[in-house]
Amino acid sequence: MVGCKRDVAVFKDLGINSIRVYDVDYTKSHDECMKLLEDAGIYLLLDMPSPQYSINRAEPHWDHDTMGHWQAKVDAFSKYPNLVAWIAGNEVANDVETTPSAAFVKAAIRDMKAYLKTKKLTTPVGYADNDDPKIRMNLINFFNCGDEGSRADFYGINTYRWCGDETDFKTSGYEDITKNMTSYTIPSLLTEYGCNLVRPRTFSDVKSLYGTDMGSTFSGGIMYEYTEEDNEYGIVKVSFGDSKVEKNGDYDNFKKALAAVKPQGVKMDSYKASGKDSVCPAASNVWHVKSDVLPPTPSQARCQCMIDSLGCTFKSDKLSTAEGKLVGEVVGNICGATSCDEISVDTAKGMYGDFSACSSLQRSAWAVNKNYENQRSAVCEAGDVETKIIGSPKQGDVKKCLSEKDDNGVVGKPSGSGSSSSKDEDNSDDSDSDEDSNES
């Protein structure tokens, strides 16, 4: 609690009302710290992913393990009245080649919104992008198109365009950012800002963010960042378990910039919805996603049922890193020689196999069994990784697995966006704040 008490006092001195925290140990109690924040009138925006359980932009996947950890974080923090929002992804798709990952992030938003609904919670779930010019508008439109259940509840932009006092609202590009969001139908904010290329940082963009330039379009922003790290964006230096705070010049400048603005909120009875829902971007050479179809909701039951149907599988339910690499090569060879549609993904075509949301090991076992079934000599093998033959599998008909409940308790065939199938039928054969990163 030493760090939390120390930091809350600093937050109060700055006059901020919200912080963003990227990761927490949700297995520990945060009751005292969250109460200190609540008493200080400070809200928390918390990222759902963690370094171990997040959507990998290079090899995106959304499965039971990742969803389960996000659900556990929701369970741990949803009791706090000052938890104001969840962020389901931070700069996941950050260039043209990684745009397929956006489909998985949106699927995660869909599923976590559904999970929150089962808990009778309405905490908004959003996304934070990296302001990349080649994919910016596609991302902005993608996360605000389609059915309401799969759309983001708010959209965040991480931007570092405004650098120093020689830059202004127009020359920084902030004017363009604002124009992009003027007719947006969900709230938008700057989830990171505070360029450090020009020293000292004077935070002259704060005046535009909370003034007439942007105030009617954006719901504020989160300055990056509070504690000093190797990237030199921090405004204070602190040490774990130490109540001492070493403030740098950026701290005083940020405090001064905040004190100079008087943002005006909007009362609910004065709010009038405007704008229109975005049009989903079409798949193209710069957007590798068929936007109207999303990856299926993970299902532990469906995947276990599939495993129970295999006549050839791995001896162990855990593989070493070296074994995983070997299996990857084996599966690559198998799927190069035969169809692996049931475990494959093609985001540009909107094709997601019935078992594509299963774990890497489960999908690999499916491929090894497919090869086993295709071999006339019935050889059950996966290179140098040990396998075993199951004489009488528990599940005799793998098609029955498709009726198993998903991880949100929904029964039926794996589905993508809304209630539509993720795979067409005619294709079925072929804290203590010392520990946590935070921003103010």
Side-chain angles (χ1 to χ4, degrees), residues 7-19 42 203 223 225-226 235-236 247-248 250-261 438-440:
D7 294 339
V8 170
V10 176
F11 298 157
K12 291 170 69 176
D13 180 62
L14 282 169
I16 62 173
N17 68 356
S18 302
I19 62 171
I42 297 172
F203 302 100
M223 186 277 296
E225 65 180 325
Y226 177 61
I235 59 175
V236 302
K247 302 172 183 176
N248 60 30
D250 288 353
Y251 179 93
D252 294 329
N253 290 340
F254 183 52
K255 180 180 178 181
K256 186 183 205 178
L258 289 176
V261 296
N438 55 58
E439 300 175 1
S440 54

Side-chain angles (χ1 to χ4, degrees), residues 287-409:
W287 182 250
H288 306 316
V289 178
K290 189 177 187 296
S291 298
D292 59 344
V293 185
L294 298 178
T297 300
S299 170
Q300 183 182 34
R302 188 177 299 130
C303 293
Q304 185 57 54
C305 178
M306 179 270 286
I307 291 296
D308 290 341
S309 75
L310 305 182
C312 169
T313 188
F314 301 110
K315 272 192 176 181
S316 174
D317 59 1
K318 291 184 179 179
L319 300 181
S320 67
T321 301
E323 288 176 325
K325 186 176 180 179
L326 286 172
V327 167
E329 294 174 355
V330 169
V331 171
N333 291 332
I334 292 172
C335 293
T338 188
S339 172
C340 288
D341 284 354
E342 285 81 353
I343 60 171
S344 297
V345 164
D346 187 334
T347 59
K349 294 180 179 179
M351 294 178 60
Y352 301 94
D354 291 332
F355 302 108
S356 61
C358 296
S359 71
S360 175
L361 182 63
Q362 290 170 328
R363 287 178 282 126
S364 296
W366 182 95
V368 168
N369 181 73
K370 178 71 177 288
N371 187 56
Y372 167 68
E373 292 178 344
N374 287 348
Q375 297 291 330
R376 293 183 179 180
S377 57
V379 177
C380 176
E381 61 180 359
D384 294 330
V385 179
E386 290 187 310
T387 57
K388 61 182 179 182
I389 293 177
I390 308 297
S392 300
K394 293 179 183 179
Q395 175 55 258
D397 184 1
V398 71
K399 292 181 179 179
K400 291 183 179 180
C401 297
L402 303 183
S403 63
E404 293 286 350
K405 291 182 179 179
D406 65 30
D407 288 349
N408 274 330

